[in-house]
Amino acid sequence: MIKRIAWGIVFLLLSVLTLGYVFRMSITQWAIAPSLSQSGVELHCLDWSLNSNVSLNVSRVCLTYQGHQIELGGIVVDTKKVTVGRANLRLNDSESDSSSNDPFKKLALNLPKGRPKIEIKRLLITHPQLHDELAVSVVEEKLNTFVISGDVTAEVAVNNHKVTGRFNLTDGLLTKIKPIPALTLNSEHAFTFDGLSVDIKSSIDTEFSQEFSQCPVMLNAFGDVNTHYHLNDRKASLNAQQLTSWVTFDSDCLALVNNPAQREFIAKQLPLKWQIMLSDTVKFENEQLVMPSMLFNAKNSDAKLSLTNLAINIQQPLEQVKGDIKLLFISEDIEHIAVNAALNNLAINGDYQLSVDELPGFLPASAQKLTSTGQFKIANVLQLQQNANITSEIAFAELKFDKLTAKDYKAQFTTELDDKQNINASLNSQLRSVTYDQYQLLGVKNQLSASSSLAVGELFVDLNSETKLTQFNSDFLNLSNIRISSKGLPSRALQASHHVFIDGIELVASHNVSAVEHPFEIIIAEQAVTKLNPVLQQFEPLATLTDGSFNGVVRGDVNLQQADFILQVEQLSGLYNDYLAKHFSSHLTGSYDSGQLNVAPTTFELNELRAGAVVSNVAGNLSVDNSVARAYQISGDVLDGRFTLDSYRVTKEAQQSLVTFENIDASKLITLDDKSGITLTGRVNGRLPVYLDQQGVSVRSGELSNQGTGKLIITDNAAFDAVKAQQQELSPILSLLEDLDIQGLKSSVDLKPDGWLYLGVNLKGYNEAQAQQVNFNYNHEENVFTLLRALRLSDEITQKVEQEYSTKGTKND
């Protein structure tokens, strides 16, 4: 009976063991899975068996930890060691896998104290962002301390609540993680992982080179870096205060500048080596990178660029960025450049200062003592609907460009762009002097304003300008008190109008500028001719305009250098020394083309001309042919008769004109002084060929003759009586001239360029008292210029000149 019971118990035990072995997989997962789950590990598959020496063989086991999957195979387990023949670790891409939404947890590993050690002969690690899989082997030299070799060299220590270790990262390993050409890296890293955060202490020695548009740039970095990253909060911090970094631009980069002078200037000014310094901890939180301070220092230079309080959203780095920028640049030829700016998302505001002793020599212009300061505020920098406000001041002591020299320039520039894309800008500038060739401008002041809208399809700009010039000087003309008011509308072509005042002279000009033409129009409103005196007296200091008005219109094209004009002069009066001209009127129509001036034939009238003798009711024709002016068919009243002039051209070339006289009152021609005691009555005709050349004015073979009869009476003439007394033998003959009826009078006239007049007079007459026929020949010489000067200084002319100038000249000034 006892034996039977014993065999039953043995059979029952064998049955239980047999069933337990058959259902070992289910029983094992049922027993192990809950304990693994407490550590965040999920068991998916398990297949094991016992061998003959009672060791455990695990052919396959599958585990998942926070989305990362590991599959182990070829595992042999005994009481001292667990050997894994193969393992595949698939790391999760937390950005794409939905399981990344599960929060990370603090490590709470239930590590047995007496378990066998683990050895993994071959572990393949894969990740979606790895270029190649990593192959390593893992050996647990002591409990929970693992040595990793292969593609990765590391040492890892695992305890219940953290994982610590060290690993090396080289450029060879990076080629498998993510190949980066031209990178040399040698680094050591110590890390601590507690399930929620990672702390890494790194020692880095790296070199990276990259070529940008044939410009090699090298980055060197060496030193220590501390990194902290929290997995759930996605917070990271980087302390690189002990890291030394240099950015070096190769000298070959200067070859990108083709101009040798520019290349030499840039090489002298721009440092090629810059040090990058992070003086505080860099943080990353909520998709935002926060950098308290980054400094770029140029080697062997005072140039500095600093970024402070920088915060960048990595999803939208250009649209969401804040920080302060400071640039200080001092070089051999640049005295001072400073920029201070604050970034606030798409807004930037700041100020700048610039100081340069002189501009570089390769520029077409040279400037001395150039300075500029300004402020700027720009919103929505990268968007179409921008908003900006910029103010700037610029000054230089001297600027030279070709033949132009400007001195003491100062300007203030402002521009404003509102949220409706309306832009307004103004430039107020002043110059002490501007010189171009023989032209000089003094006291230049300009106020320029522009307004437009960037919202419309086609850009239209309203321009307004006010320019004042104290003085305009040139070799042939000086002008004062110039003021120009301008309006313009640039679009496809520039349309502009100008209201010009020059020494009181008023002009209105308008023009259009396009790619093919530049038509213009100048309107001269009717105004007093006395306003022309400051200009006229520069050419003829003795000339003064006293009365009259003028107006005109000029139309043409600047590109074609062609213009048509109409100029009307009404009742012009003026003085030249003590010559007087009254009421000159004419209507001129002409053109300027191919450098030549032409005026169509027109008439003119001159009421009176006083130049010794009084000439009145002058009328004639004038024209301009190829810049040569001509007056012709001129006639008028003189000495109670008429005169005509066939033609006169305003030119330096030699020419001949014919002056004729008709019905001249002989008494006014010969009797120059009422007190002389000599009177002559009758009428005289004349013909005077006038020659004009480089030597002056002359008359050759001129003729004067009587028209009808006349009479000569000499009484109480001291000179005549003296001759009779001194030459008694001539007294009877000379007495015949004292009361003579003139029957014929002929005279030859010759005038030399020096003013000497030669008259050969033949006088025929009859003395009724002595019943004697007279034939008298007389040669006379006199300087006509002196004679006319004496006539001009007579009381009558002097009084007339003073009257005209005082009553009419001052009225029209």
Side-chain angles (χ1 to χ4, degrees), residues 727-742:
Q727 301 184 35
Q728 295 291 331
E729 69 279 8
L730 296 178
S731 180
I733 298 175
L734 293 175
S735 63
L736 296 175
L737 298 175
E738 293 177 338
D739 188 1
L740 181 67
D741 295 326
I742 299 175

Side-chain angles (χ1 to χ4, degrees), residues 575-703:
L575 300 170
Y576 183 80
N577 197 356
D578 40 21
Y579 295 101
L580 172 66
K582 289 181 61 178
H583 299 164
F584 172 87
S585 299
S586 185
H587 185 86
L588 307 176
T589 302
S591 65
Y592 177 86
D593 195 0
S594 302
Q596 299 294 329
L597 178 67
N598 291 278
V599 175
T602 187
T603 62
F604 72 89
E605 296 177 353
L606 177 62
N607 182 263
E608 185 177 271
L609 174 65
R610 289 177 175 263
V614 178
V615 181
S616 60
N617 300 322
V618 180
N621 300 279
L622 59 85
S623 65
V624 178
D625 298 313
N626 294 330
S627 300
V628 177
R630 183 171 73 101
Y632 58 99
Q633 296 179 1
I634 303 172
S635 62
D637 298 335
V638 62
L639 300 177
D640 204 24
R642 297 284 295 173
F643 82 94
T644 61
L645 171 66
D646 62 345
S647 178
Y648 170 71
R649 291 179 293 116
V650 183
T651 177
K652 293 183 179 180
E653 297 180 0
Q655 60 178 307
Q656 177 183 353
S657 300
L658 179 61
V659 181
T660 61
F661 298 93
E662 295 180 358
N663 202 29
I664 299 298
D665 187 348
S667 64
K668 295 183 178 181
L669 178 65
I670 303 299
T671 305
L672 302 179
D673 188 351
D674 294 339
K675 298 178 182 180
S676 65
I678 300 175
T679 60
L680 177 67
T681 61
R683 295 286 171 173
V684 177
N685 294 334
R687 181 179 178 276
L688 301 179
V690 180
Y691 295 85
L692 299 99
D693 53 26
Q694 293 182 349
Q695 296 179 348
V697 181
S698 62
V699 177
R700 304 173 191 173
S701 301
E703 298 177 356

Side-chain angles (χ1 to χ4, degrees), residues 311-370:
I312 304 173
N313 185 296
I314 62 171
Q315 299 296 330
Q316 296 177 308
L318 297 179
E319 291 82 355
Q320 297 186 30
V321 55
K322 296 181 180 180
D324 298 320
I325 302 173
K326 290 186 178 181
L327 170 65
L328 176 63
F329 190 90
I330 299 173
S331 68
E332 181 177 345
D333 296 312
I334 298 176
E335 188 173 327
H336 182 78
I337 296 178
V339 179
N340 298 309
L343 297 173
N344 187 359
N345 296 333
L346 292 178
I348 179 172
N349 64 83
D351 58 74
Y352 76 92
Q353 299 88 38
L354 167 67
S355 179
V356 179
D357 190 59
E358 62 180 1
L359 291 179
F362 61 82
L363 293 178
S366 64
Q368 304 291 328
K369 302 297 182 182
L370 175 64

Side-chain angles (χ1 to χ4, degrees), residues 27 268 273 276-277 304 311 317 330 491 499 568 643 774 794:
I27 295 173
K268 291 170 60 178
K273 192 168 185 177
I276 305 175
M277 301 176 63
K304 296 180 179 180
I330 299 173
S491 56
H499 200 173
Q568 186 162 336
F643 82 94
V774 176
S794 66

Side-chain angles (χ1 to χ4, degrees), residues 187-217:
S187 62
E188 295 181 359
H189 309 270
F191 70 91
T192 300
F193 173 65
D194 63 1
L196 292 179
S197 62
V198 179
D199 289 287
I200 303 175
K201 295 182 179 181
S202 305
S203 178
I204 298 174
D205 186 359
T206 182
E207 181 178 293
F208 173 72
S209 62
Q210 183 68 44
E211 186 170 293
F212 301 95
S213 301
Q214 301 179 349
C215 175
V217 180

Side-chain angles (χ1 to χ4, degrees), residues 75-203:
I75 304 174
V76 177
V77 181
D78 57 25
T79 58
K80 294 183 178 181
K81 189 175 185 180
V82 177
T83 303
V84 180
R86 66 184 186 281
N88 293 317
L89 174 61
R90 289 185 292 275
L91 297 174
N92 173 52
D93 186 355
S94 59
E95 294 184 358
S96 59
D97 197 308
S98 60
S99 64
S100 63
N101 294 326
D102 297 335
F104 290 90
K105 299 178 181 179
K106 273 278 191 178
L107 287 181
L109 302 177
N110 187 10
L111 301 178
K113 297 182 179 180
R115 66 171 178 80
K117 296 179 181 178
I118 299 174
E119 178 183 358
I120 302 176
K121 293 183 177 182
R122 181 176 176 82
L123 170 63
L124 296 180
I125 304 173
T126 60
H127 187 275
Q129 295 184 5
L130 282 177
H131 184 264
D132 292 322
E133 62 183 13
L134 300 179
V136 297
S137 61
V138 180
V139 176
E140 188 177 10
E141 295 183 343
K142 60 181 181 177
L143 193 62
N144 298 327
T145 299
F146 303 90
V147 176
I148 302 172
S149 59
D151 291 337
V152 179
T153 302
E155 181 178 328
V156 180
V158 180
N159 60 36
N160 293 357
H161 302 291
K162 65 180 179 179
V163 177
T164 60
R166 302 180 62 86
F167 67 92
N168 295 335
L169 187 60
T170 63
D171 48 5
L173 176 58
L174 286 180
T175 58
K176 290 197 170 189
I177 298 175
K178 189 173 184 179
I180 303 177
L183 173 66
T184 301
L185 175 65
N186 185 13
S187 62
E188 295 181 359
H189 309 270
F191 70 91
T192 300
F193 173 65
D194 63 1
L196 292 179
S197 62
V198 179
D199 289 287
I200 303 175
K201 295 182 179 181
S202 305
S203 178

